[in-house]
Amino acid sequence: MSFYQYITEKRNDNEELKSIMETVASSLKKHKTDEIKPGVLLGLINREKRVLFWVLWQNVLMKIMMLL
């Protein structure tokens, strides 16, 4: 059993969701990725950078408020 089949059965994914996932997967396979153009990985890295930025910014704001 493939991981795809396992996870879709475990979550009881409907046919519409499966179709969307298959379309996205086939689209990703069509585009060549390498070290310069990592594809999906870049989106994950950017998300982590945004989260880190907001956490750091909140810490800075808290310190500024404590000084006032």
Side-chain angles (χ1 to χ4, degrees):
M1 176 184 295
S2 69
F3 179 73
Y4 170 76
Q5 184 179 5
Y6 166 77
I7 198 71
T8 55
E9 286 178 9
K10 182 175 174 100
R11 298 184 309 195
N12 294 320
D13 292 347
N14 62 29
E15 292 304 315
E16 181 182 11
L17 178 58
K18 290 179 188 178
S19 173
I20 292 170
M21 290 189 293
E22 290 166 7
T23 301
V24 169
S26 85
S27 174
L28 290 171
K29 287 180 184 178
K30 289 179 186 175
H31 300 295
K32 183 173 170 72
T33 60
D34 55 26
E35 299 83 26
I36 306 299
K37 295 183 178 181
V40 174
L41 179 60
L42 186 58
L44 296 174
I45 291 170
N46 282 336
R47 180 188 174 280
E48 295 302 321
K49 288 187 335 190
R50 284 193 309 270
V51 169
L52 179 60
F53 170 79
W54 284 111
V55 168
L56 292 174
W57 181 245
Q58 288 174 347
N59 287 338
V60 168
L61 289 176
M62 294 288 279
K63 289 181 181 179
I64 290 172
M65 292 175 79
M66 292 172 78
L67 292 173
L68 297 176

